[in-house]
């Protein structure tokens, strides 16, 4: 997971002082491990579980937490438990939720064979190859088809 303290602070300005955030000028977001890792998420979750999840990307595909919440009936504790207990399954569920909101992604997924490069580009932009999202999706599809 990758906690995004800037997103949490934007959603909950009343808790801003309780969420450390150091903006990396070169990247435009925090690259400080203590602000973006599991302990930072745990702290944010204690303050506001729903906002903490929405402000974090999770799983193999690094989908934002709104999809994790939706995958588990918008119940924060159930979503977090689902991810901790089975991150691979939660990752796949989040990808499905993300696709439901993206008609172009659905078309790419329904092409024969699926256009994983297009899917990855729609999600991650033109630098999708850096994280090999297209390869990860292809491998999942190949191993589960």
């Amino acid at each position: 997971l990758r906690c995004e303290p800037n997103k949490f602070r934007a959603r909950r300005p009343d808790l801003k002082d309780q969420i450390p955030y150091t903006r990396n000028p070169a990247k435009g977001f925090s690259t400080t491990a203590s602000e973006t890792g599991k302990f930072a998420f745990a702290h944010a979750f204690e303050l506001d579980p729903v906002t903490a999840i929405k402000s974090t990307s999770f799983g193999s595909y690094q989908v934002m937490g709104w999809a994790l919440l939706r995958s588990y009936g918008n119940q924060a504790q159930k979503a977090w438990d689902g991810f901790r207990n089975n991150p691979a399954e939660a990752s796949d569920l989040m990808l499905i939720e993300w696709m439901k909101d993206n008609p172009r992604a659905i078309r790419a997924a329904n092409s024969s064979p699926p256009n994983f490069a297009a899917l990855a580009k729609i999600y991650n932009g033109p630098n999708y190859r850096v994280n090999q999202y297209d390869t990860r999706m292809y491998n999942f599809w190949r191993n589960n088809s």
Side-chain angles (χ1 to χ4, degrees):
L1 63 77
R2 178 175 164 64
C3 186
E4 300 286 351
N6 56 316
K7 294 182 185 300
F8 187 99
R9 291 163 57 113
R11 288 184 169 103
R12 288 296 307 268
D14 58 313
L15 297 174
K16 196 177 205 174
D17 294 338
Q18 297 182 53
I19 300 292
Y21 174 61
T22 308
R23 184 179 182 273
N24 178 324
K27 301 262 183 174
F29 51 84
S30 177
T31 56
T32 305
S34 63
E35 296 175 359
T36 60
K38 291 179 184 178
F39 292 115
F41 172 79
H43 174 65
F45 192 86
E46 288 176 10
L47 296 172
D48 181 339
V50 170
T51 301
I53 290 174
K54 286 182 177 180
S55 303
T56 302
S57 59
F58 293 89
S60 300
Y61 316 112
Q62 288 296 287
V63 176
M64 290 305 294
W66 65 265
L68 180 64
L69 283 168
R70 196 184 292 173
S71 297
Y72 292 91
N74 291 310
Q75 298 176 42
Q77 189 63 55
K78 187 176 177 183
W80 177 228
D81 291 343
F83 180 77
R84 284 186 309 172
N85 294 332
N86 194 337
E89 178 181 76
S91 294
D92 295 340
L93 292 171
M94 288 186 289
L95 182 61
I96 291 166
E97 288 300 328
W98 174 79
M99 288 181 69
K100 287 179 183 177
D101 281 0
N102 290 279
R104 288 179 25 228
I106 291 170
R107 283 192 298 278
N110 287 333
S111 63
S112 184
N115 186 340
F116 296 108
L119 283 169
K121 187 175 182 181
I122 292 164
Y123 175 72
N124 201 47
N127 294 325
Y128 68 90
R129 289 182 188 96
V130 171
N131 294 306
Q132 299 179 343
Y133 291 128
D134 57 329
T135 303
R136 291 180 189 189
M137 288 187 282
Y138 170 75
N139 289 337
F140 175 79
W141 174 77
R142 186 187 68 215
N143 292 328
N144 293 284
S145 294

